[in-house]
Amino acid sequence: MAKYSTSLVSAICELIGEYNLSVNETCQWMRISRKTFYAWCKEKPAFREAIDKAYANRERNILDLLSKEKIIVSRKKVHKEKNAIPSIPFL
């Protein structure tokens, strides 16, 4: 199992914020348990703050992508404006 360090925190945040991995996927990549991840969130305020920033970054990236691609999201469908490709069901 990986030992807590600032470089590990940075890597975890990059996987979550930049690569949009889930906590489960991130933990698998970093070889830590989900239990450890959530314990660090609870016990280490700096870790929790970094994770919160990573989630905010992920949200900004997704919103930027949606606005650049002019994608319209409705309750049931996702499609591009003008000359839309067949609709993709919203998951």
Side-chain angles (χ1 to χ4, degrees), residues 31-61:
R31 298 179 190 246
I32 61 171
S33 69
R34 288 170 42 92
K35 184 177 178 180
T36 297
F37 178 91
Y38 288 113
W40 288 350
C41 284
K42 185 177 179 181
E43 298 164 4
K44 299 181 181 297
F47 182 76
R48 182 70 220 179
E49 185 178 325
I51 295 301
D52 289 344
K53 286 180 183 179
Y55 278 118
N57 187 45
R58 174 174 29 194
E59 189 174 312
R60 273 191 307 277
N61 289 341

Side-chain angles (χ1 to χ4, degrees), residues 9 11 17 24-25 30-32 43 45 51 54 58 61 63 71 73 85-86 89 91:
V9 173
N24 191 48
E25 293 167 324
M30 301 310 299
R31 298 179 190 246
I32 61 171
E43 298 164 4
I51 295 301
R58 174 174 29 194
N61 289 341
L63 292 173
I71 295 173
V73 179
I85 300 173
L91 302 176

Side-chain angles (χ1 to χ4, degrees), residues 8-22:
L8 179 64
V9 173
S10 295
I12 289 170
C13 290
E14 184 176 3
L15 291 174
I16 291 172
E18 298 296 325
Y19 295 101
N20 301 323
L21 295 187
S22 67

